C-alpha cells in the first residue's frame, strides 16, 4: 500500500514538471520570429560548411577522407549543428534570475529549482531540435543549387 501511495505522489510531482515543459513549448511557439531567426542562422552555417566540405572533397580528389564520405560528413554536420543550436541558454536564464532577485521567489515555490529548470530546458530543446533537424534536412535535400553535391559521391570526384 505504501508503494502505491509513493508512486501516486511521484506521478503528481512529475505532472507539475511536465506542465513546466509544456508551458515552455508553448512559449517557444509564441515567439516565432526569434525562433525562426535562430533556425535561419543554422541554414547559413550549413551552407558555409557544406560548401567548405564540397571544395575539400573535390580538392582531395577522393570520395573518402579519413574514412568518411562526403554524405557522411554532411549528415554529421547536420546533426551536430542542429543539436548545438538547439540547446537553450540556461546559464543566461539563471544569471537573469539572480540579477533580478527572482531566484528567491523561485526557491519558495513548491517544486525543485533544478527540476524546474531541467524540464524547462528540455521542453525548449526538444522543440528547437525538431525544427532545426526538419529545416536543415529539407534545405539540404530540396535545394541542390545551394547545397550542391548531396546527390552522389561520384559527382564529387569529377
Amino acid at each position: 500500500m505504501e508503494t502505491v501511495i509513493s508512486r501516486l505522489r511521484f506521478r503528481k510531482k512529475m505532472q507539475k514538471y511536465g506542465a513546466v515543459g509544456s508551458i515552455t513549448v508553448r512559449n517557444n511557439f509564441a515567439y516565432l520570429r526569434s525562433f525562426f531567426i535562430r533556425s535561419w542562422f543554422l541554414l547559413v552555417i550549413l551552407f558555409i560548411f557544406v560548401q567548405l566540405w564540397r571544395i575539400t572533397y573535390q580538392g582531395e580528389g577522393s570520395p573518402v577522407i579519413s574514412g568518411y564520405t562526403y554524405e557522411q560528413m554532411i549528415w554529421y554536420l547536420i546533426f551536430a549543428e542542429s543539436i548545438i543550436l538547439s540547446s537553450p541558454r540556461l546559464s543566461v536564464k539563471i544569471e537573469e534570475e539572480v540579477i533580478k532577485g527572482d531566484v528567491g521567489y523561485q526557491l519558495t515555490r513548491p517544486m525543485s529549482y533544478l527540476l524546474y529548470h531541467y524540464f524547462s530546458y528540455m521542453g525548449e530543446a526538444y522543440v528547437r531540435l525538431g525544427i532545426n533537424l526538419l529545416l536543415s534536412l529539407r534545405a539540404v535535400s530540396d535545394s541542390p543549387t545551394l547545397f550542391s553535391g548531396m546527390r552522389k559521391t561520384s559527382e564529387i570526384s569529377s
Side-chain angles (χ1 to χ4, degrees):
M1 183 69 172
E2 190 174 309
T3 338
V4 173
I5 293 171
S6 63
R7 284 184 187 171
L8 289 174
R9 285 181 186 159
F10 179 76
R11 262 194 207 145
K12 195 161 184 113
K13 285 182 182 180
M14 286 297 109
Q15 285 177 346
K16 286 188 224 177
Y17 299 114
V20 169
S22 175
I23 290 168
T24 304
V25 167
R26 280 187 256 140
N27 283 343
N28 274 312
F29 288 123
Y31 300 105
L32 285 175
R33 183 175 178 205
S34 66
F35 187 75
F36 281 114
I37 288 172
R38 255 185 110 152
S39 296
W40 284 110
F41 180 67
L42 171 67
L43 292 180
V44 170
I45 290 172
L46 284 177
F47 173 75
I48 291 168
F49 277 110
V50 165
Q51 299 307 315
L52 176 70
W53 281 110
R54 184 176 56 81
I55 296 299
T56 303
Y57 275 87
Q58 285 177 348
E60 204 49 42
S62 172
V64 177
I65 297 177
S66 295
Y68 295 103
T69 65
Y70 176 73
E71 285 84 6
Q72 289 172 329
M73 190 61 70
I74 300 306
W75 278 106
Y76 167 78
L77 180 66
I78 287 170
F79 281 96
E81 291 300 323
S82 292
I83 290 169
I84 293 299
L85 290 177
S86 296
S87 62
R89 297 179 185 160
L90 183 58
S91 60
V92 173
K93 283 183 183 178
I94 293 174
E95 181 181 334
E96 287 175 357
E97 285 179 4
V98 170
I99 290 171
K100 291 179 180 177
D102 292 343
V103 73
Y105 169 72
Q106 293 285 348
L107 290 173
T108 60
R109 286 185 172 182
M111 60 174 64
S112 167
Y113 183 75
L114 294 176
L115 286 176
Y116 170 82
H117 279 292
Y118 174 77
F119 280 90
S120 175
Y121 178 93
M122 294 307 286
E124 190 171 346
Y126 281 138
V127 170
R128 287 183 179 181
L129 180 62
I131 298 296
N132 285 348
L133 283 174
L134 286 173
L135 190 63
S136 59
L137 290 172
R138 181 158 177 116
V140 170
S141 66
D142 287 351
S143 185
T145 56
L146 289 178
F147 299 97
S148 60
M150 281 297 292
R151 300 294 179 212
K152 296 179 185 173
T153 308
S154 60
E155 293 175 3
I156 296 171
S157 57
S158 57

